[in-house]
Amino acid sequence: MEETQDFESEFSEIKSKLFDIHNDMKSFIEQANQQHMDTVLQHLKNDYNNTIANHLSEEIRTGLSKNMVRKCERREECASDFTSLLESNTKMIRQNTVSEKSIAANRKKLEEVKNILPYKKCSTCYSELTDLFSKQVNLMHSMNIYDENQKHGKDMGSLPIQTIVDDILEPVCHRTRMEILRAVYSETKTFSSLSELTGLRGGNLLFHLQKLSDSGLIMQRHERGDYMITACGFRIMEGISKIYGSLNPNDEEEKCKSEVTEFSSYPNMPA
């Protein structure tokens, strides 16, 4: 009788330890998965920022070359100064950090350049410089890496409803487009892989890809290249995930409970 009680006590202790090991392994796997996802997302973000910065660098080169006054002895000198100023913005985009102080400093340099330009025709070149500068700042806003965009507590009455419907709600309110966004959320996808995923071919799939592309939610690496999510698309998917989680808070809790119940259903398993 005493041996039976000892055996039951030891068996209960073993099951208790197994239960603890199960929880430790589950916690480890969850943390490992989260770390992997964080790493993947960081690489994706860096890849996206570098793609945008490379595009901007090319736009600086072609824009200045094409639109600056050709017959001017200061053309090369000004082009070099303009490029240096604009590339300081692209560097911040690559680093994914833009402060109001940095933008203000570059705006001040922009004004200083204007004050030292000696010729009437300089207005043509300066106009191209300011246009490129404005495009860069607007892009920083859209990528949500400009500190000015980090203000919260916005008045609901000032929300642009039609813009929200056209640029956010309407593009994602189709199952196929949500499947595409979910697929490219953490990795790039080829047209073929998206076709296999959605079951659509040719023009039918291209219609949805074009819709997402026109709305600025996805982009191609280059012509006929893989599709990848944009910063705007990424933020929208993050927002959708948070909304779903807030409306369905019991989903994950019920999943955890079911695992614990299944494990604790054995005899003498501690609750």
Side-chain angles (χ1 to χ4, degrees), residues 202-253:
N204 290 330
L205 175 58
L206 193 59
F207 170 81
H208 293 293
L209 291 172
Q210 193 64 48
K211 185 73 176 177
L212 292 171
S213 180
D214 290 344
S215 300
L217 306 188
I218 65 171
M219 64 181 291
Q220 279 184 286
R221 285 180 178 270
H222 49 78
E223 188 178 359
R224 298 181 181 276
D226 293 354
Y227 289 88
M228 62 186 292
I229 199 166
T230 65
C232 179
F234 179 83
R235 293 199 303 273
I236 287 176
M237 290 300 287
E238 286 279 282
I240 290 174
S241 176
K242 289 178 181 178
I243 291 172
Y244 179 82
S246 66
L247 295 176
N248 300 272
N250 295 325
D251 281 6
E252 191 64 29
E253 183 180 343

Side-chain angles (χ1 to χ4, degrees), residues 105-137:
N106 282 347
R107 288 190 191 280
K108 184 177 180 181
K109 291 179 183 178
L110 202 62
E111 287 297 318
E112 290 173 352
V113 168
K114 181 180 179 181
N115 293 332
I116 64 173
L117 294 177
Y119 309 124
K120 221 180 234 190
K121 59 186 177 182
C122 290
S123 61
T124 300
C125 300
Y126 185 75
S127 177
E128 179 62 22
L129 172 63
T130 55
D131 284 347
L132 289 170
F133 190 95
S134 295
K135 286 180 181 179
Q136 291 180 331
V137 174

Side-chain angles (χ1 to χ4, degrees), residues 151-212:
K151 297 174 183 177
H152 300 285
K154 193 171 185 178
D155 180 15
M156 285 292 176
S158 66
L159 289 177
I161 294 178
Q162 193 59 51
T163 300
I164 291 173
V165 172
D166 293 341
D167 297 344
I168 300 176
L169 300 181
E170 199 276 333
V172 301
C173 71
H174 193 284
R175 178 184 177 87
T176 296
R177 294 197 284 272
M178 281 298 295
E179 287 180 338
I180 293 171
L181 285 170
R182 185 174 64 177
V184 299
Y185 176 81
S186 59
E187 61 180 339
T188 60
K189 292 288 185 181
T190 64
F191 186 91
S192 298
S193 63
L194 291 174
S195 177
E196 182 178 351
L197 172 70
T198 60
L200 299 178
R201 297 172 180 268
N204 290 330
L205 175 58
L206 193 59
F207 170 81
H208 293 293
L209 291 172
Q210 193 64 48
K211 185 73 176 177
L212 292 171

Side-chain angles (χ1 to χ4, degrees), residues 53 67 149 217 258:
N67 298 316
N149 264 7
L217 306 188
S258 65

